[in-house]
Amino acid sequence: MLRLLLMVIAGLQILNAQSMQDSLTVKNVIDLTINNYPLIQQAEEKINVAEAKIKEQQSSLYPVIDVNASYSRIGPVPVIAFGSEQFELFPADNYNINVSLFHTLYDFGKRDALIDFTKSLKQSEIDNVDLVKSALAFQTVQIFYSILLLEKSIAVKDTDIVNLNDHLLFTYKKVETGSATDFDVLTTKVRISNAENQKLDLQNLLDKQIVQLKKLTGIPYESDTKLKGNFSLNQFFVNKDSLLEIAFKQRPEIKLALDQENNTHLIKEIASLGNMPSLNVNFSYGLKNGYIPNLDVLRGNWAAGIGVSVPIFNGFRTSASLEEADANIKVSETHTLQIKNDITSEVQQAVEDLKTKLNKISTTKIQVSYAQESINRANVQYKNGVVTNLDLLDSENSFEQAQLQYLRAVYDAIISSYNLKKAVGDVIW
């Protein structure tokens, strides 16, 4: 019974996976990329590495306890003679077992500064994960809509090939009646051949994009993947000033740059504590032999102490470290300024690019309308013998190109809208 239940559950999971792959939306493919792509998993594992480094650094707050054991045999053994008697000063076999403790009581915050630094490194790794996810999510979006564009372009090409074949049959009839020549047939066949070659090129590009999508999402290469998306975009208003404020808060590059600034300040703090003393305690307890009067008996022994370590001279290392830290702070601050300038430029360009692409949708839509009207007239005129076969083929080609330009304009506008989201730092996964 349990086995049957497990088989049913497994079957439902397979059906669910197949259903998802048969109708993947843009959200589905982004989620698959975020969950499956190894580069993201690698970046997330680096957070665990940083967490381990924090724990490693925090270990300095605790005492160090060691167990030591030793054995040594000496010879000759020193002796003292009293008349006819001889007394050994040390045993020949020496045993020593002890437990020792060492702990730094106070070091003017050096350990705390190092812990803060490792925590800052962890935050950098967390922000780096967001950067990797953002880059891969937008790459996935571009491939997703590239596939939709190619599929729709192939559909246009298929329609064109069907129309050309219908036109070829009509031309054969005109040749039989003497109102057309073999040259008209040959010209039409050439157009059909060119259209079929163009379709093969589009199909090749589509296959490559599907392979790339499966690589990102982790979908098996042998599976049949279908996409479902809205290939349209409405015009909308954007405010560059408000977008810049949002970008400076959201972009992972800014967060990483600020993390780097914080890291350099912490490094300077650590360097400034280089000449500070430290207060330490130590204690040990153990068993050893060699005590008078019975040298071979193991006896308990202990030792305790407190010490202060005060750096006096380290070859100007501390001052050099401070100079290096100050220079790195300036470098990180300049880097942050450069990142802000780059983001400002990206947002400005993305806004202008989106405006242009939205306008192109309107103009290419008009072109499709004009081309449709032109081909309708050309068909009527060709049947009436007013225009030549070449004129009709040119009209059909113009209509096809107008359709493809419109699809391309919509694709460019969609990608531009996502580029603006990327420039602003929107999270789309």
Side-chain angles (χ1 to χ4, degrees), residues 14 18 26 94 97 100 136-137 179 184 187 232 246 255 287 294 315 323 334 342 386 407:
I14 293 174
Q18 290 177 344
V26 65
N94 293 270
I97 303 173
S100 63
L136 288 173
S179 57
D184 294 330
T187 303
S232 63
I246 297 173
K255 295 178 181 178
L287 297 172
N294 194 337
E323 290 180 10
T334 305
D342 292 342
V386 177
L407 290 175

Side-chain angles (χ1 to χ4, degrees), residues 125-137:
E125 297 297 348
I126 293 174
D127 292 333
N128 183 62
V129 170
D130 289 340
L131 179 63
V132 175
K133 286 182 178 181
S134 176
L136 288 173

